[in-house]
Amino acid sequence: MSYFANIPEAPADSILKLSVQSKADPSSNKVDLGVGAYRDNNGKPWILPVVSKASSRLATDPGFNHEYLSVGGLPALTGGAQTLIFGQNSRAIDDKRVYTIQTISGTGANMVGAVFLKQFKRPENAAVYISKPTWGNHRSIFQTAGHEVREYRYCNYETLGLDIDGMVADLRAAPEGQIIVLHACAHNPTGIDPTAEQWQQIADAMEERGHFPFFDCAYQGFATGDVDRDAYAIRLFVARGFELLVAESFAKNMGLYGERTGCLHAVTRSADLIPAVSSQLNRLSRATISTAAAYGAKVAGTVLQDPELYKEWLDNMAEMSSRIKTMRDALRDKLVELGTPGTWDHVSNQIGMFSFTGLSKPQVAALKEKYHMYLTEDGRISVAGLNTGNIDYAAKAIDDVVRNVK
Amino acid sequence: MLSSALRTSLRRTATSQTSTPARALATWAQIEMGPPDAILGITEAFKRDGDARKMNLGVGAYRTDEGKPYVLGAVRKAEEALLAKRLDKEYLPITGLAKFTGAAAELAYGADSSALGRVAITQTISGTGALRVGGAFLQRFYKTQQTVYLPSPSWGNHAAVFRDCGLKVANYRYYDAATRGLNLGAMLDDLRALPRGSIVLLHACAHNPTGVDPTPAQWQQIQSVVEEREHLAFFDMAYQGFASGDADRDAAALRAFVAAGKAPVVLSQSFAKNMGLYGERVGTFSIVGADAAERDRLLSQIKILVRPLYSNPPINGARIASEVLNNAPLRTEWLGEVKQMADRIIGMRTALRSRLEELGSAHSWNHITDQIGMFCYTGLKPEQVDRLAKDFHIYLTRDGRVSVAGITTANVNYLAESIHSVTKN
């Protein structure tokens, strides 16, 4: 009898399952609005031109090899990433109170931060609060790391905008000193971001209760097309004196996805805390992966450190974010044109890769069955899956299910 | 021109900076300095040393006879082939690149192994990541025992990885300091004495840090005891092909356990050294299941474990490894290069031992050539290691472990003379 005989089958990851179904669908009309990866107007993955340039440089560099990175990661990446997140004139960087460790993309950064906090958080029973809703993997990451996970209100399901009052009330009602996971920009899955004013309110409530911010930043530059605007919330919190963690991913904004390129940043109150904090982050990363993946880091580092390539990157990002914005507006306009019941402003007001359409589960199922349109059960669409070739079809499909499926 | 909202928020920020700072948690203040990493710390010290004769015998990365990192020819060709394909950078599935893991399984278990159809295998973040996924899997599903038994000594990171998984860590006797070889009797005694069904970590070949491997006959005895006590064999194979120069020979112990089918077997596999892919983080973790259905169930659970750790593994290194393993000419070229690396190392062992004997050292240095793989457990004491660093600018870990790949024809004599200096009495 096998030792493993009594291990049950685990449920498949729902988003990835969707992707498998979509790939297997032979229909020429199919529209994949599932996984959050950018697509060009032909529905194809897009290698950023600047990334191709950086890759060519690496390919022709006689010094290129596959040696181990240090535990902290590639300095060209970690240093460049720090400046990207915290700004050119960051007091925190100048004060030497930021430590950055390279990670296996955003997931790895979230997990390293989660494990670090489990070991060192005060109070020891502080829970981790995630937005309702949030990226599916957040709950899993923090629970796996051993935290109790709770939710704060975020999405107003009526207006499909931010429930700022609910959010602030929940932050105030929480016990003091909790860990709050915040999406820096382009909230996943809703696309709903706080305004600058609302970020101040959030910061006020967090300051009042002594909460600890853990920013998840997976879309810097990808949300508004402007890296500084997209980093506003993080920089606000730093300027207001918070200590915090930032999980950063280059998967979307540099299109590096499978290269698994990311960082975790820790901002402390003073430089003398950095040796201890960095040594502990290094220790726990060493026991998980030893060192992070070199290739993607070298590509990203090359782009971040070369002024011309950096500028070109900003242009590439603007191209992606503006195509997405165009599709948002187009979808909204077509739904209005069709007279689809309900209001659709939220589709163009929301920001980033995703839109929380407000479609119900039965409507989503009907879209899949009747129209070969794939989106997650919660009504989230990956806007990058829309293009000039399928936008009419998609709008009509949505119109149909909104009218005829409850 | 700033928007009014932005101006307002900046004003508020300025005000906040002069008022009482945010009531920060005392989160960071009581964090103690973490221990310095012994192995990686050697490289730091080496870098700081300005002496022209300096030698880095710390980290286990292969070096050419010129002392340079080595990008294998087969790897370069694979990279060129991949560039021409102009592939995208889309996410891999959670368990990685199937063409890679399939070929990796064949390499480890043997192309004709009956296990291939029932091995649950996932790509991992090199060997460390494989150990981590494996440890996490056992912590969650292996309820018989929750202690991993490591040979004494073992790679410095093993204990940290398994402890961070939530497992306990203990040791079985392995290295005999008197003979600088294997203490088989003690090892067998200890394995027999372990609670039934214990998790036993075994280095498949080229033991790190000692270089001491059991002979085939000794492996049979080890296998008997493991099977008798119904232990779980957790093989760590980071040097396949790199130890003897022959990939099948180096996997012989693993395959014998699997062929017998009596003990559960799990495997951590790394391509860091044998393909020189170090920083690309290429590895696998696998479990030998009873049948295909069990394999699928195991895979479903492995995916659940991996998703919160890192979602999916890196593409670059896996694609290179897949190209090398699946393309016949490249594979042949690769195996030839692995043999060359192994042969150079064996050559340096021979040269070091000869030189020490020529110098008239009173000690026995047979162990240098008896041991195998990247590392040599010289038998040097910590004080002697410290002297080597301070007086001779030669850096190795304080357990006396030398990375033989750091030795070249240009520096082997200097090394021998220095070792002789600190060991003659």
Side-chain angles (χ1 to χ4, degrees), chain A residues 110 117 126-131 138 142 148 150-154 167-168 170-184 199 202-203 205-207 209-216 237 242-246, chain B residues 25:
Chain A
N110 271 278
L117 287 173
V128 173
Y129 286 70
I130 56 179
S131 63
H138 272 146
F142 289 101
E148 185 198 335
R150 300 183 191 148
E151 285 177 315
Y152 57 86
R153 279 172 285 173
Y154 191 80
M167 179 175 179
V168 169
D170 287 350
L171 293 177
R172 286 212 169 94
E176 288 183 6
Q178 304 299 288
I179 295 162
I180 314 296
V181 178
L182 299 162
H183 296 231
W199 274 119
I202 294 164
M206 295 207 28
E207 190 178 314
R209 301 299 287 158
H211 293 326
F212 182 83
F214 191 158
F215 279 96
D216 190 347
F237 274 66
F242 283 87
E243 295 182 301
L244 48 83
L245 291 177
V246 182
Chain B
L25 300 173

Coordinates of all heavy atoms in Angstrom, one line a residue, chain A residues 110 117 126-131 138 142 148 150-154 167-168 170-184 199 202-203 205-207 209-216 237 242-246, chain B residues 25:
Chain A
N110 N 6.0 38.9 -1.9 CA 4.9 38.8 -0.9 C 5.2 37.7 0.1 O 5.0 37.9 1.3 CB 3.6 38.4 -1.6 CG 2.8 39.7 -2.1 OD1 2.1 40.3 -1.3 ND2 2.9 40.0 -3.3
L117 N 7.4 38.9 8.4 CA 6.5 39.5 9.4 C 6.0 38.4 10.4 O 5.9 38.7 11.6 CB 5.3 40.1 8.7 CG 5.7 41.4 7.9 CD1 4.5 41.8 7.1 CD2 6.1 42.5 8.9
A126 N -0.7 40.0 15.7 CA -1.3 40.9 14.7 C -1.8 40.1 13.5 O -1.1 39.2 13.0 CB -0.2 41.9 14.2
A127 N -3.0 40.4 13.0 CA -3.5 39.7 11.8 C -3.1 40.5 10.6 O -2.7 41.7 10.6 CB -5.0 39.6 11.9
V128 N -3.2 39.8 9.4 CA -3.0 40.5 8.2 C -4.3 40.8 7.5 O -5.1 39.9 7.4 CB -2.1 39.6 7.2 CG1 -2.0 40.2 5.8 CG2 -0.7 39.4 7.8
Y129 N -4.5 42.1 7.2 CA -5.8 42.5 6.5 C -5.6 42.6 5.0 O -4.7 43.4 4.6 CB -6.3 43.8 7.2 CG -6.8 43.6 8.5 CD1 -6.0 43.3 9.6 CD2 -8.2 43.8 8.8 CE1 -6.5 43.2 10.9 CE2 -8.7 43.7 10.1 CZ -7.9 43.4 11.1 OH -8.4 43.2 12.4
I130 N -6.5 42.0 4.3 CA -6.4 42.1 2.8 C -7.7 42.8 2.4 O -8.8 42.7 3.1 CB -6.3 40.8 2.2 CG1 -7.4 39.8 2.6 CG2 -4.9 40.2 2.5 CD1 -7.3 38.4 1.9
S131 N -7.7 43.4 1.2 CA -8.9 44.1 0.7 C -9.9 43.1 0.3 O -9.6 41.9 -0.1 CB -8.6 45.0 -0.4 OG -8.1 44.3 -1.5
H138 N -3.2 36.3 -2.4 CA -2.9 37.0 -1.1 C -3.2 36.2 0.1 O -2.4 35.9 1.0 CB -3.5 38.3 -1.0 CG -2.8 39.5 -1.7 ND1 -3.3 40.5 -2.3 CD2 -1.4 39.7 -1.7 CE1 -2.4 41.4 -2.7 NE2 -1.2 40.9 -2.4
F142 N -0.4 34.6 2.9 CA -0.3 35.0 4.3 C -0.8 33.9 5.2 O -0.2 33.7 6.3 CB -1.1 36.3 4.5 CG -0.4 37.5 3.9 CD1 -0.8 38.0 2.7 CD2 0.8 38.0 4.5 CE1 -0.1 39.1 2.1 CE2 1.5 39.1 3.9 CZ 1.0 39.6 2.7
E148 N -3.1 35.0 10.7 CA -4.5 35.0 10.6 C -4.8 36.1 9.6 O -4.2 37.2 9.6 CB -5.2 35.4 12.0 CG -6.7 35.3 11.9 CD -7.3 36.1 13.1 OE1 -6.6 36.2 14.1 OE2 -8.5 36.6 12.9
R150 N -7.6 38.6 7.7 CA -9.0 39.2 7.8 C -9.1 40.1 6.6 O -8.2 40.4 5.9 CB -9.1 40.0 9.1 CG -9.0 39.2 10.4 CD -9.2 40.0 11.6 NE -8.8 39.2 12.8 CZ -8.3 39.8 13.9 NH1 -8.2 41.1 14.0 NH2 -8.0 39.0 15.0
E151 N -10.4 40.6 6.5 CA -10.6 41.5 5.3 C -11.1 42.9 5.8 O -11.7 43.0 6.8 CB -11.7 40.9 4.4 CG -11.3 39.8 3.6 CD -12.4 39.2 2.8 OE1 -13.5 39.0 3.4 OE2 -12.2 38.9 1.6
Y152 N -10.7 43.9 4.9 CA -11.3 45.2 5.1 C -12.2 45.5 3.9 O -11.9 45.0 2.8 CB -10.2 46.3 5.3 CG -9.2 46.5 4.3 CD1 -9.4 47.3 3.1 CD2 -7.9 45.8 4.4 CE1 -8.4 47.4 2.2 CE2 -6.9 46.0 3.4 CZ -7.2 46.8 2.3 OH -6.2 47.0 1.4
R153 N -13.2 46.2 4.1 CA -14.1 46.6 3.0 C -13.3 47.4 2.0 O -12.5 48.2 2.4 CB -15.3 47.3 3.5 CG -16.4 46.4 4.1 CD -17.5 47.2 4.7 NE -17.1 47.8 6.0 CZ -17.9 48.6 6.7 NH1 -19.0 49.0 6.2 NH2 -17.4 49.1 7.9
Y154 N -13.6 47.2 0.7 CA -12.9 47.9 -0.3 C -13.8 48.2 -1.5 O -14.0 49.4 -1.8 CB -11.7 47.1 -0.8 CG -10.8 47.9 -1.7 CD1 -9.8 48.7 -1.2 CD2 -10.8 47.8 -3.1 CE1 -9.0 49.5 -2.0 CE2 -10.0 48.5 -3.9 CZ -9.1 49.4 -3.3 OH -8.3 50.2 -4.1
M167 N -13.9 51.2 4.2 CA -12.5 50.8 4.4 C -11.9 51.6 5.6 O -11.3 50.9 6.5 CB -11.7 51.3 3.1 CG -10.2 51.0 3.2 SD -9.4 51.3 1.6 CE -7.7 50.9 2.1
V168 N -12.1 52.8 5.7 CA -11.6 53.6 6.8 C -12.2 53.2 8.1 O -11.5 53.0 9.1 CB -11.8 55.1 6.6 CG1 -11.5 55.9 7.8 CG2 -10.9 55.6 5.4
D170 N -13.3 50.2 8.8 CA -12.7 48.9 9.2 C -11.3 49.1 9.7 O -10.8 48.4 10.7 CB -12.7 47.9 8.0 CG -14.1 47.4 7.7 OD1 -15.0 47.7 8.5 OD2 -14.3 46.8 6.6
L171 N -10.5 50.0 9.1 CA -9.1 50.2 9.6 C -9.2 50.8 11.0 O -8.3 50.4 11.9 CB -8.4 51.2 8.7 CG -8.1 50.6 7.3 CD1 -7.4 51.7 6.4 CD2 -7.2 49.4 7.3
R172 N -10.1 51.6 11.3 CA -10.2 52.2 12.6 C -10.7 51.2 13.7 O -10.3 51.3 14.8 CB -11.2 53.4 12.6 CG -10.6 54.7 12.0 CD -11.2 55.9 12.6 NE -10.4 57.1 12.1 CZ -10.8 57.8 11.1 NH1 -11.9 57.6 10.4 NH2 -10.0 58.8 10.7
A173 N -11.6 50.3 13.2 CA -12.2 49.4 14.1 C -11.2 48.2 14.5 O -11.4 47.5 15.5 CB -13.5 48.8 13.5
A174 N -10.2 48.0 13.6 CA -9.3 46.9 13.9 C -8.5 47.2 15.1 O -8.3 48.3 15.5 CB -8.4 46.8 12.7
P175 N -8.0 46.1 15.8 CA -7.1 46.4 16.9 C -5.9 47.2 16.5 O -5.6 47.2 15.3 CB -6.7 45.0 17.3 CG -7.7 44.0 16.7 CD -8.3 44.7 15.5
E176 N -5.2 47.8 17.4 CA -4.0 48.5 17.0 C -2.9 47.6 16.4 O -2.8 46.4 16.8 CB -3.5 49.2 18.3 CG -4.3 50.4 18.7 CD -3.7 51.1 19.9 OE1 -2.6 50.8 20.3 OE2 -4.4 52.0 20.4
G177 N -2.1 48.2 15.6 CA -0.9 47.5 15.1 C -1.1 46.3 14.2 O -0.4 45.3 14.3
Q178 N -2.1 46.3 13.4 CA -2.3 45.2 12.4 C -1.5 45.5 11.2 O -1.0 46.6 10.9 CB -3.8 45.1 12.1 CG -4.7 44.9 13.3 CD -4.3 43.6 14.1 OE1 -4.6 42.5 13.7 NE2 -3.8 43.8 15.3
I179 N -1.4 44.4 10.4 CA -0.7 44.5 9.1 C -1.7 44.7 8.0 O -2.6 43.9 7.9 CB 0.2 43.3 8.9 CG1 1.2 43.2 9.9 CG2 0.8 43.3 7.5 CD1 1.8 41.8 10.1
I180 N -1.6 45.7 7.2 CA -2.6 46.0 6.2 C -1.9 45.9 4.8 O -1.0 46.6 4.5 CB -3.1 47.5 6.3 CG1 -3.5 47.8 7.8 CG2 -4.3 47.7 5.4 CD1 -4.6 46.9 8.4
V181 N -2.5 45.0 4.0 CA -2.0 44.8 2.6 C -2.7 45.8 1.7 O -3.9 45.9 1.7 CB -2.2 43.4 2.1 CG1 -1.7 43.3 0.6 CG2 -1.5 42.4 3.0
L182 N -1.9 46.7 1.1 CA -2.5 47.7 0.2 C -2.0 47.6 -1.2 O -0.8 47.3 -1.4 CB -2.1 49.1 0.7 CG -2.5 49.5 2.1 CD1 -1.7 50.6 2.7 CD2 -4.0 49.8 2.2
H183 N -2.8 47.7 -2.2 CA -2.4 47.7 -3.6 C -1.9 49.1 -3.9 O -2.7 50.0 -3.9 CB -3.5 47.3 -4.5 CG -4.0 45.9 -4.3 ND1 -4.2 45.0 -5.3 CD2 -4.4 45.3 -3.2 CE1 -4.6 43.9 -4.8 NE2 -4.8 44.0 -3.5
A184 N -0.7 49.2 -4.3 CA -0.1 50.5 -4.6 C -0.8 51.3 -5.7 O -1.0 52.5 -5.7 CB 1.4 50.4 -5.0
W199 N -6.2 58.4 -0.3 CA -5.0 57.9 0.2 C -4.6 58.6 1.5 O -4.1 57.9 2.5 CB -3.8 57.9 -0.8 CG -3.8 56.8 -1.7 CD1 -3.9 56.8 -3.1 CD2 -3.6 55.4 -1.4 NE1 -3.8 55.6 -3.6 CE2 -3.6 54.7 -2.6 CE3 -3.5 54.7 -0.2 CZ2 -3.5 53.3 -2.7 CZ3 -3.3 53.3 -0.2 CH2 -3.3 52.6 -1.5
I202 N -6.8 57.2 4.2 CA -6.3 55.8 4.6 C -5.1 56.0 5.5 O -5.0 55.3 6.5 CB -6.0 55.0 3.3 CG1 -7.3 54.8 2.5 CG2 -5.3 53.7 3.7 CD1 -7.1 54.3 1.1
A203 N -4.2 56.8 5.1 CA -2.9 57.0 5.9 C -3.3 57.5 7.3 O -2.7 57.1 8.3 CB -2.0 58.0 5.2
A205 N -6.0 57.0 9.0 CA -6.6 55.9 9.8 C -5.4 55.0 10.3 O -5.4 54.5 11.4 CB -7.6 55.2 9.0
M206 N -4.5 54.7 9.4 CA -3.4 53.7 9.7 C -2.5 54.3 10.7 O -2.0 53.6 11.6 CB -2.7 53.4 8.4 CG -3.6 52.6 7.5 SD -2.9 51.4 6.3 CE -1.5 50.8 7.0
E207 N -2.3 55.6 10.6 CA -1.4 56.3 11.6 C -2.1 56.3 13.0 O -1.4 55.9 14.0 CB -1.2 57.7 11.1 CG -0.1 58.4 11.9 CD 0.1 59.8 11.4 OE1 0.2 60.0 10.1 OE2 0.2 60.8 12.2
R209 N -4.1 54.2 14.2 CA -4.2 52.8 14.8 C -2.8 52.1 14.9 O -2.7 51.0 15.3 CB -5.1 51.9 14.1 CG -6.6 52.5 14.0 CD -7.2 52.6 15.4 NE -7.5 51.3 16.0 CZ -7.7 51.1 17.3 NH1 -7.5 52.1 18.2 NH2 -8.0 49.9 17.7
G210 N -1.8 52.8 14.4 CA -0.4 52.2 14.4 C -0.3 51.0 13.5 O 0.4 50.1 13.8
H211 N -1.1 51.0 12.4 CA -1.0 49.8 11.6 C 0.2 49.8 10.7 O 0.9 50.9 10.5 CB -2.2 49.8 10.6 CG -3.5 49.6 11.3 ND1 -3.7 48.7 12.4 CD2 -4.8 50.1 11.0 CE1 -5.0 48.7 12.7 NE2 -5.7 49.5 11.9
F212 N 0.6 48.6 10.2 CA 1.8 48.5 9.4 C 1.4 48.3 8.0 O 0.7 47.3 7.6 CB 2.6 47.3 9.9 CG 3.9 47.1 9.2 CD1 5.0 47.9 9.5 CD2 4.0 46.2 8.1 CE1 6.2 47.7 8.8 CE2 5.2 46.1 7.4 CZ 6.3 46.8 7.8
P213 N 1.9 49.1 7.1 CA 1.5 49.0 5.6 C 2.4 48.0 4.9 O 3.7 48.0 5.0 CB 1.8 50.4 5.1 CG 2.3 51.2 6.2 CD 2.7 50.4 7.3
F214 N 1.8 47.1 4.2 CA 2.5 46.2 3.3 C 1.9 46.4 1.9 O 0.8 46.0 1.5 CB 2.3 44.7 3.7 CG 3.1 43.7 3.0 CD1 3.3 42.5 3.6 CD2 3.8 43.9 1.8 CE1 4.2 41.5 3.1 CE2 4.6 43.0 1.2 CZ 4.8 41.7 1.9
F215 N 2.7 47.2 1.1 CA 2.3 47.5 -0.3 C 2.6 46.4 -1.3 O 3.7 45.9 -1.3 CB 2.9 48.8 -0.8 CG 2.3 50.0 -0.3 CD1 2.8 50.7 0.9 CD2 1.2 50.6 -0.9 CE1 2.2 51.9 1.4 CE2 0.5 51.7 -0.4 CZ 1.1 52.4 0.7
D216 N 1.6 46.1 -2.1 CA 1.8 45.2 -3.2 C 1.8 46.0 -4.5 O 0.8 46.6 -4.8 CB 0.8 44.1 -3.3 CG 1.1 43.0 -4.3 OD1 2.1 43.2 -5.1 OD2 0.5 41.9 -4.2
F237 N 3.1 57.5 2.0 CA 3.3 56.9 3.3 C 4.7 57.0 3.8 O 5.0 57.2 5.0 CB 2.9 55.4 3.2 CG 1.5 55.1 3.3 CD1 0.5 55.5 2.4 CD2 1.0 54.4 4.4 CE1 -0.8 55.3 2.6 CE2 -0.3 54.1 4.6 CZ -1.3 54.5 3.7
F242 N 5.9 56.5 7.8 CA 5.6 55.0 8.1 C 6.9 54.2 7.8 O 7.6 54.5 6.9 CB 4.5 54.5 7.2 CG 3.1 55.0 7.6 CD1 2.6 56.2 7.1 CD2 2.3 54.1 8.4 CE1 1.3 56.6 7.5 CE2 1.0 54.5 8.7 CZ 0.5 55.7 8.3
E243 N 7.0 53.1 8.6 CA 7.9 52.0 8.2 C 7.0 51.1 7.4 O 5.8 51.0 7.7 CB 8.4 51.3 9.4 CG 9.4 52.2 10.2 CD 10.0 51.5 11.4 OE1 9.2 51.0 12.2 OE2 11.2 51.4 11.5
L244 N 7.5 50.4 6.4 CA 6.7 49.6 5.5 C 7.5 48.6 4.7 O 8.7 48.7 4.6 CB 5.8 50.5 4.6 CG 6.5 51.6 3.8 CD1 7.2 51.1 2.6 CD2 5.6 52.7 3.5
L245 N 6.7 47.7 4.1 CA 7.3 46.8 3.1 C 6.6 47.0 1.8 O 5.4 47.4 1.7 CB 7.0 45.3 3.5 CG 7.7 44.8 4.7 CD1 7.3 43.3 5.0 CD2 9.2 44.8 4.6
V246 N 7.4 46.8 0.7 CA 6.8 46.9 -0.6 C 7.2 45.7 -1.4 O 8.4 45.4 -1.6 CB 7.3 48.2 -1.4 CG1 6.6 48.2 -2.8 CG2 7.0 49.4 -0.7
Chain B
L25 N 5.0 50.7 14.7 CA 5.2 49.6 15.5 C 6.7 49.5 15.9 O 7.5 50.0 15.2 CB 4.9 48.3 14.7 CG 3.5 48.2 14.2 CD1 3.4 47.0 13.3 CD2 2.5 48.0 15.3

